[in-house]
Amino acid sequence: MDAAEFRKRGKEMVDYVADYLEKIDKRQVFPDVEPGYLRPLIPDCAPQDPESFEDVFKDIEKIIMPGVTHWHSPYFFAYFPAASSFPALLADMLCGGIGCVGFSWAASPACTELETVMLDWLGKMINLPEEFLAGKDGQGGGVIQGSASEATLISLLAARTKTIRRVQSENPELTEAEIMGRLVAYASDQAHSSVERAALIGGVKIKNVSSDDKFTVCGSALKKVLDEDKASGLIPFFFCATLGTTPCCSFDRLLELGPICNKENIWMHIDAAYAGSAFICPEFRHLLNGVEFADSFNFNPHKWLLVNFDCSAMWVKKRSDLIGAFKLEPLYLQHHHQERFRSLKLWFVLRMYGVTGLQEHIRKHVRLSHQFEHLVLQDERFEICAEVVLGLVCFRLKGSNELNKALLKSINEAKKIHLVPCYLREKFVLRFAVCSRTVESTHVKFAWQHISQLATDLLQTWEHDDHQQ
Amino acid sequence: MDAAEFRKRGKEMVDYVADYLEKIDKRQVFPDVEPGYLRPLIPDCAPQDPESFEDVFKDIEKIIMPGVTHWHSPYFFAYFPAASSFPALLADMLCGGIGCVGFSWAASPACTELETVMLDWLGKMINLPEEFLAGKDGQGGGVIQGSASEATLISLLAARTKTIRRVQSENPELTEAEIMGRLVAYASDQAHSSVERAALIGGVKIKNVSSDDKFTVCGSALKKVLDEDKASGLIPFFFCATLGTTPCCSFDRLLELGPICNKENIWMHIDAAYAGSAFICPEFRHLLNGVEFADSFNFNPHKWLLVNFDCSAMWVKKRSDLIGAFKLEPLYLQHHHQERFRSLKLWFVLRMYGVTGLQEHIRKHVRLSHQFEHLVLQDERFEICAEVVLGLVCFRLKGSNELNKALLKSINEAKKIHLVPCYLREKFVLRFAVCSRTVESTHVKFAWQHISQLATDLLQTWEHDDHQQ
């Protein structure tokens, strides 16, 4: 394929993508296929000779689309949102065309520099303390990572290196392996599994800190476990606070936790993967108060700020901590591996929406989640399971876990909308996450009426059944 | 921006990318900017109100392009290639449009399944032993990673978990921390720094194995260091063999190293980041002989197989080893974090080039590197520093490191072509890597004439100078 054919095919693909997104509400949000559906549909091995674009193109609808979960459908209310917008798609096309690899300044000056400046823009939008910004010659700064998991891992590793050095300088008789064996990381019992995985990768212990009845970690809970662990000879070194937990979007109390971490020489990392985007709205910024105590902070514009995957924004107060841990180039805050020109997406989206446009997007989602909350509250069969702060509503039928599992099953089998569940304490709970860029009040109303009807149908058969407990 | 405007702007962007790539040879391959050039060119913070696409678009040529190192210019001979092709760009547009997140089968069935099947296609193209393929119900299989560094890290961590379990079952009195403190990983002294970094992240020791005068690790060198380390109580657990080292594209001797690793319970990972693509040509496949002894194998289609970044292909013989190390879903070989629909790029490229088209691409690059080698050999002032096997030529002026540094400086300051250096033993060496998809014999000839002329100019002043040593 030469440039001339690319011009033709590229424009066809632009139309295909525009059609797909414009009419996505006509597609069934969750596919009908069973595991293993795809292999029998395509040959066993790559063709020897080139196939035409037409042949490949027609297989998109025939082979791929039947197996796609449509994340951008306005009937998709599962997980958390995956951001998508037209300006970001345009930026990605440019990024692919330039096709540079930004592993050092010389390898691509524009790529490295735009990233640093865009993370300053973004940091200012959420009113991050100046220490986290690169500015012209600050010690802090931001970098784009692939995911919040990656940011958590990197901060845990930086904390590990820093702590080992400190403990070793205070106790020269201890070997690195002995210190490693005594290090403990902490996170809420509501934290994402990636924190546990980061500790597993870093070869250190991890302990849960108990959250309270609002699924929030407060200072006293952290202090309790720290005191116990220090008394038994362990070395607490890392705490991952969560703002907007995955199950129910609860918020750890930074203002209590931060001073404890600072006093105890514990690296505080804040994982605000989903919720962080909301901090661009002044009315939600208070949720971030206490960030001044943190060593690192992360949120995902690719979740809720209309920047397509992947774009996870991570800031540190001291770039030198990362450089110490990874032997990175000192001049710029570097990734631990090669990357594409991902900052172009941020640049396009921030400029073409403007701060006000992005605020509108956040506020619409929050408004729609409260709309759903009110609908649930009007139905006495249901209960709300956690405070609705941003775009997520946790709800369930008053009744057993089995009943709620049956309800979710009937929702997802009908495939008119798509939800995923979570557990809050031992309760099986349905999560209604406002996700799509194009979701409106009518979709939320439809979703509720549908859920409500399925609940009615379910409860009728359920009462005649011996499932009830 | 709505779908209608995206149709218009998307098509303009297709033309911009096509123009950029069609006329890339007219742009200066390496930019003129100095570090920090970009920040003064753009505002301090994001705009409150939306800007138009026209405003953003005109800044591409004004702000971004002056700072781009043009990786796809036919005058770019630095690092290793970054793959780029029109079919891959089309697939990336589709990937962005679908915008799914493939962290589990249900989250996107097509994404998960196409990836597994594409890695089987690719495995068959390089004649990988069947144990590495997923097939319908094999124990092995492939997965797309972001980079070879990531693949190395994942295999090192899997090996660590596996070894700790084995040693602990044999020596129940040892704690995990004690075992960790005795684990040692190995790689050639020519291996990429990412192997050292993986060990650093995993909290284990790493040692270099000495390469021979061909920059190759042979069995006896590995055996020597293993015997010493075992005698001093250490536990060797991981060896990363390199096929196509970064400095000079040398090849470790798998047929000698593999049986040693198997006998000693050492996980052998093969990093063939650049060279792996060449194994689709039967005449280069012998370089992979011995892969049957490995536990994991990796190469980067995003380097040399016309698949845009990022697409690093990794296979393991036992998926269960990874699942053990990362607590991943057992049903499919999972990534350790969320990913896009990257297999679409492979599908488009493999089908639209066909095996023969990709073989032609590899063979052209190898032919051009031999052309450059012959030009160097005809000039008595120069020497070739390592055997030319694939698309890389390591060469230098017969003379001091200072002389060769001065030559490289004059080449890169002229900015007609771009090269990077390496050290082989203590020798400063210039690397000529055939990179661009569109590079032809005329560009190679031009590069050589240019280098030769600069050498002539340099040697004239050099002789009148006291730099010579």
Side-chain angles (χ1 to χ4, degrees):
Chain A
M1 180 179 283
D2 59 11
E5 198 190 347
F6 173 70
R7 286 177 203 273
K8 182 167 182 310
R9 301 315 187 179
K11 290 164 191 173
E12 289 169 17
M13 189 61 88
V14 166
D15 279 327
Y16 181 80
V17 167
D19 288 343
Y20 171 71
L21 291 171
E22 229 172 7
K23 296 175 201 151
I24 198 166
D25 56 330
K26 305 289 184 293
R27 293 180 188 257
Q28 181 176 287
V29 59
F30 193 79
D32 283 324
V33 298
E34 295 295 323
Y37 88 96
L38 187 138
R39 192 179 285 272
L41 299 179
I42 64 178
D44 265 357
C45 54
Q48 278 299 305
D49 296 315
E51 295 181 46
S52 69
F53 178 76
E54 284 91 340
D55 284 342
V56 177
F57 190 74
K58 70 170 192 263
D59 282 345
I60 299 171
E61 281 299 331
K62 203 171 119 199
I63 294 172
I64 301 302
M65 284 302 169
V68 170
T69 302
H70 300 291
W71 279 66
H72 305 294
S73 161
Y75 299 108
F76 182 92
F77 301 104
Y79 312 104
F80 274 132
S84 175
S85 71
F86 294 120
L89 292 178
L90 293 171
D92 260 348
M93 288 164 65
L94 178 60
C95 168
I98 295 175
C100 64
V101 183
F103 57 72
S104 71
W105 185 84
S108 195
C111 175
T112 325
E113 296 205 12
L114 187 65
E115 182 164 324
T116 308
V117 179
M118 283 305 103
L119 275 274
D120 274 4
W121 277 24
L122 198 57
K124 287 175 188 169
M125 284 168 65
I126 57 170
N127 200 12
L128 215 52
E130 198 162 339
E131 299 161 271
F132 286 101
L133 306 182
K136 264 196 73 164
D137 31 38
Q139 295 190 356
V143 70
I144 299 176
Q145 304 289 352
S147 66
S149 308
E150 214 172 309
T152 303
L153 174 62
I154 287 171
S155 56
L156 179 136
L157 294 171
R160 190 188 69 178
T161 303
K162 200 176 175 180
T163 307
I164 289 174
R165 283 184 193 163
R166 180 177 55 75
V167 174
Q168 223 162 15
S169 77
E170 292 163 2
N171 308 273
E173 75 285 4
L174 292 177
T175 65
E176 194 171 314
E178 283 166 337
I179 299 169
M180 284 266 293
R182 287 164 59 185
L183 295 178
V184 202
Y186 302 88
S188 166
D189 54 22
Q190 302 296 309
H192 191 263
S193 62
S194 59
V195 190
E196 189 186 344
R197 199 169 293 172
L200 191 72
I201 291 173
V204 296
K205 290 180 191 60
I206 172 120
K207 296 201 179 184
N208 280 341
V209 185
S210 301
S211 59
D212 63 15
D213 58 351
K214 297 201 155 170
F215 309 102
T216 284
V217 169
C218 61
S220 59
L222 177 63
K223 194 157 182 333
K224 184 164 170 285
V225 60
L226 291 182
D227 289 345
E228 286 167 13
D229 286 348
K230 285 193 297 175
S232 63
L234 296 175
I235 306 170
F237 81 106
F238 179 79
F239 174 65
C240 178
T242 309
L243 296 182
T245 57
T246 308
C248 71
C249 200
S250 58
F251 292 79
D252 290 345
R253 289 191 206 155
L254 298 186
L255 287 167
E256 297 176 19
L257 297 159
I260 298 173
C261 290
N262 286 183
K263 181 168 166 268
E264 303 279 354
N265 263 323
I266 291 171
W267 181 298
M268 183 160 84
H269 173 67
I270 299 174
D271 173 3
Y274 163 70
S277 298
F279 306 151
I280 65 165
C281 299
E283 67 272 30
F284 300 120
R285 175 56 178 76
H286 68 95
L287 294 163
L288 186 60
N289 288 349
V291 65
E292 56 274 19
F293 299 109
D295 297 280
S296 51
F297 170 73
N298 166 252
F299 85 93
N300 292 349
H302 71 229
K303 277 206 161 68
W304 204 11
L305 214 58
L306 296 172
V307 181
N308 282 51
F309 194 82
D310 53 339
C311 179
S312 179
M314 177 191 188
W315 290 266
V316 290
K317 265 189 194 155
K318 285 193 188 158
R319 294 199 298 253
S320 59
D321 287 336
L322 294 200
I323 293 158
F326 299 104
K327 303 192 175 173
L328 299 176
E329 290 291 312
L331 191 54
Y332 291 94
L333 179 57
Q334 277 300 322
H335 324 287
H336 75 287
H337 53 72
Q338 335 173 348
E339 281 307 341
R340 291 160 296 131
F341 206 153
R342 293 184 287 197
S343 54
L344 286 173
K345 287 187 286 202
L346 268 175
W347 198 44
F348 275 46
V349 168
L350 298 183
R351 292 180 70 182
M352 293 175 67
Y353 278 90
V355 174
T356 52
L358 295 167
Q359 286 170 335
E360 267 171 41
H361 173 65
I362 298 287
R363 286 171 180 146
K364 180 178 86 169
H365 276 200
V366 178
R367 199 167 57 240
L368 293 178
S369 77
H370 284 300
Q371 181 193 351
F372 187 82
E373 179 191 20
H374 292 143
L375 291 166
V376 174
L377 286 170
Q378 281 163 29
D379 188 329
E380 289 197 340
R381 300 172 300 173
F382 285 89
E383 60 185 346
I384 294 289
C385 308
E387 188 188 354
V388 177
V389 182
L390 299 176
L392 176 69
V393 183
C394 287
F395 71 107
R396 71 198 301 274
L397 279 167
K398 294 171 184 164
S400 68
N401 282 354
E402 283 59 38
L403 177 65
N404 281 286
K405 280 179 194 172
L407 176 61
L408 182 70
K409 192 160 177 274
S410 74
I411 293 169
N412 282 339
E413 282 179 358
K415 297 182 185 180
K416 291 192 181 301
I417 61 175
H418 188 50
L419 303 186
V420 293
C422 72
Y423 277 94
L424 289 175
R425 305 296 174 227
E426 270 76 49
K427 280 188 177 176
F428 184 89
V429 167
L430 281 68
R431 289 170 81 265
F432 182 89
V434 180
C435 285
S436 165
R437 180 175 59 79
T438 59
V439 63
E440 297 294 345
S441 184
T442 50
H443 303 106
V444 171
K445 263 185 239 159
F446 169 83
W448 171 249
Q449 280 158 6
H450 178 58
I451 292 169
S452 171
Q453 183 58 52
L454 291 174
T456 303
D457 298 348
L458 175 69
L459 287 166
Q460 270 171 7
T461 54
W462 201 261
E463 280 158 17
H464 297 291
D465 235 322
D466 51 358
H467 287 112
Q468 206 170 10
Q469 20 184 321
Chain B
M1 179 178 285
D2 57 12
E5 199 190 347
F6 173 71
R7 286 177 203 273
K8 182 168 183 305
R9 302 314 188 179
K11 290 165 191 174
E12 290 170 16
M13 190 60 89
V14 165
D15 279 328
Y16 181 79
V17 167
D19 287 345
Y20 171 71
L21 290 171
E22 229 172 7
K23 296 174 199 151
I24 198 167
D25 57 328
K26 306 288 186 292
R27 294 180 188 257
Q28 182 177 285
V29 60
F30 193 80
D32 283 325
V33 299
E34 295 294 322
Y37 88 96
L38 186 139
R39 192 179 284 272
L41 299 180
I42 64 179
D44 265 358
C45 54
Q48 278 299 305
D49 297 313
E51 295 181 46
S52 69
F53 178 76
E54 284 91 339
D55 284 343
V56 177
F57 191 74
K58 70 170 192 264
D59 282 345
I60 298 170
E61 281 298 331
K62 205 171 119 199
I63 295 171
I64 301 301
M65 284 300 169
V68 170
T69 302
H70 300 291
W71 279 66
H72 305 294
S73 161
Y75 299 109
F76 182 92
F77 301 104
Y79 313 104
F80 273 132
S84 175
S85 70
F86 294 119
L89 292 177
L90 293 172
D92 260 349
M93 288 163 65
L94 177 61
C95 168
I98 295 176
C100 65
V101 184
F103 57 71
S104 69
W105 184 84
S108 194
C111 174
T112 325
E113 297 205 12
L114 187 64
E115 184 165 323
T116 308
V117 180
M118 283 304 104
L119 275 274
D120 274 3
W121 277 24
L122 199 56
K124 287 175 190 170
M125 283 168 66
I126 58 170
N127 199 12
L128 216 51
E130 199 162 337
E131 298 162 270
F132 285 102
L133 306 182
K136 266 195 75 164
D137 30 37
Q139 296 191 355
V143 69
I144 299 176
Q145 304 289 353
S147 65
S149 307
E150 216 173 309
T152 302
L153 174 62
I154 287 171
S155 55
L156 180 137
L157 294 170
R160 190 188 70 179
T161 303
K162 200 176 174 180
T163 308
I164 289 173
R165 285 184 192 163
R166 179 176 55 77
V167 175
Q168 224 162 13
S169 76
E170 291 164 5
N171 309 271
E173 76 285 3
L174 292 177
T175 66
E176 194 170 316
E178 283 166 337
I179 299 170
M180 285 266 292
R182 286 164 58 186
L183 294 179
V184 202
Y186 302 88
S188 168
D189 53 23
Q190 301 297 307
H192 192 262
S193 62
S194 58
V195 189
E196 189 185 344
R197 199 168 293 170
L200 193 71
I201 290 172
V204 295
K205 289 181 193 60
I206 172 122
K207 296 200 178 182
N208 280 339
V209 185
S210 302
S211 59
D212 62 16
D213 57 351
K214 295 200 157 173
F215 310 103
T216 285
V217 169
C218 59
S220 59
L222 177 62
K223 191 152 185 336
K224 184 163 170 286
V225 61
L226 291 180
D227 288 345
E228 285 167 15
D229 287 348
K230 285 193 296 176
S232 63
L234 297 174
I235 306 171
F237 80 106
F238 179 80
F239 173 64
C240 177
T242 310
L243 297 183
T245 58
T246 307
C248 72
C249 199
S250 58
F251 293 78
D252 290 346
R253 289 192 207 155
L254 299 187
L255 287 168
E256 297 176 19
L257 298 158
I260 298 173
C261 290
N262 287 182
K263 179 167 168 268
E264 303 279 354
N265 262 322
I266 292 170
W267 180 298
M268 181 160 85
H269 173 68
I270 300 173
D271 172 2
Y274 162 70
S277 298
F279 305 152
I280 66 166
C281 300
E283 68 270 32
F284 299 120
R285 174 57 179 77
H286 68 96
L287 295 163
L288 186 58
N289 289 349
V291 65
E292 56 274 19
F293 299 108
D295 296 281
S296 51
F297 170 72
N298 167 252
F299 84 94
N300 292 349
H302 72 228
K303 276 205 162 68
W304 203 11
L305 213 59
L306 297 171
V307 181
N308 281 52
F309 193 79
D310 53 342
C311 179
S312 179
M314 178 190 188
W315 290 265
V316 290
K317 265 189 197 157
K318 285 193 189 160
R319 293 199 300 251
S320 58
D321 288 336
L322 295 198
I323 294 158
F326 298 104
K327 302 191 177 176
L328 299 175
E329 288 292 312
L331 191 53
Y332 291 94
L333 180 58
Q334 277 299 322
H335 324 287
H336 75 286
H337 53 69
Q338 333 174 346
E339 282 306 340
R340 292 160 296 129
F341 205 154
R342 294 184 288 195
S343 53
L344 286 173
K345 287 187 284 201
L346 268 175
W347 198 45
F348 275 47
V349 168
L350 299 184
R351 292 181 67 181
M352 293 175 69
Y353 277 91
V355 174
T356 51
L358 295 167
Q359 286 171 335
E360 267 172 40
H361 173 67
I362 298 286
R363 286 171 180 148
K364 180 177 86 168
H365 276 199
V366 178
R367 200 168 55 239
L368 292 178
S369 77
H370 284 302
Q371 180 192 353
F372 187 82
E373 180 192 19
H374 292 144
L375 291 165
V376 174
L377 286 171
Q378 281 162 29
D379 188 328
E380 288 197 340
R381 301 171 300 172
F382 285 89
E383 59 185 345
I384 295 290
C385 307
E387 188 188 354
V388 177
V389 181
L390 299 176
L392 176 69
V393 183
C394 287
F395 70 106
R396 71 199 299 274
L397 279 167
K398 293 169 184 165
S400 67
N401 282 353
E402 283 59 39
L403 177 66
N404 281 285
K405 281 180 193 170
L407 175 61
L408 183 70
K409 191 160 178 274
S410 73
I411 292 170
N412 282 339
E413 282 179 359
K415 297 182 185 179
K416 291 191 181 300
I417 60 175
H418 189 49
L419 303 186
V420 293
C422 72
Y423 277 94
L424 287 176
R425 306 297 174 224
E426 271 74 50
K427 279 188 178 176
F428 184 89
V429 168
L430 283 68
R431 289 170 80 264
F432 182 90
V434 179
C435 285
S436 164
R437 180 175 58 79
T438 58
V439 62
E440 298 293 344
S441 183
T442 50
H443 303 106
V444 172
K445 264 186 238 158
F446 169 84
W448 171 248
Q449 279 158 7
H450 178 59
I451 293 168
S452 170
Q453 182 60 51
L454 291 173
T456 302
D457 298 349
L458 174 68
L459 288 166
Q460 270 171 7
T461 55
W462 201 261
E463 279 158 18
H464 298 292
D465 237 320
D466 51 359
H467 286 113
Q468 205 170 11
Q469 22 182 320

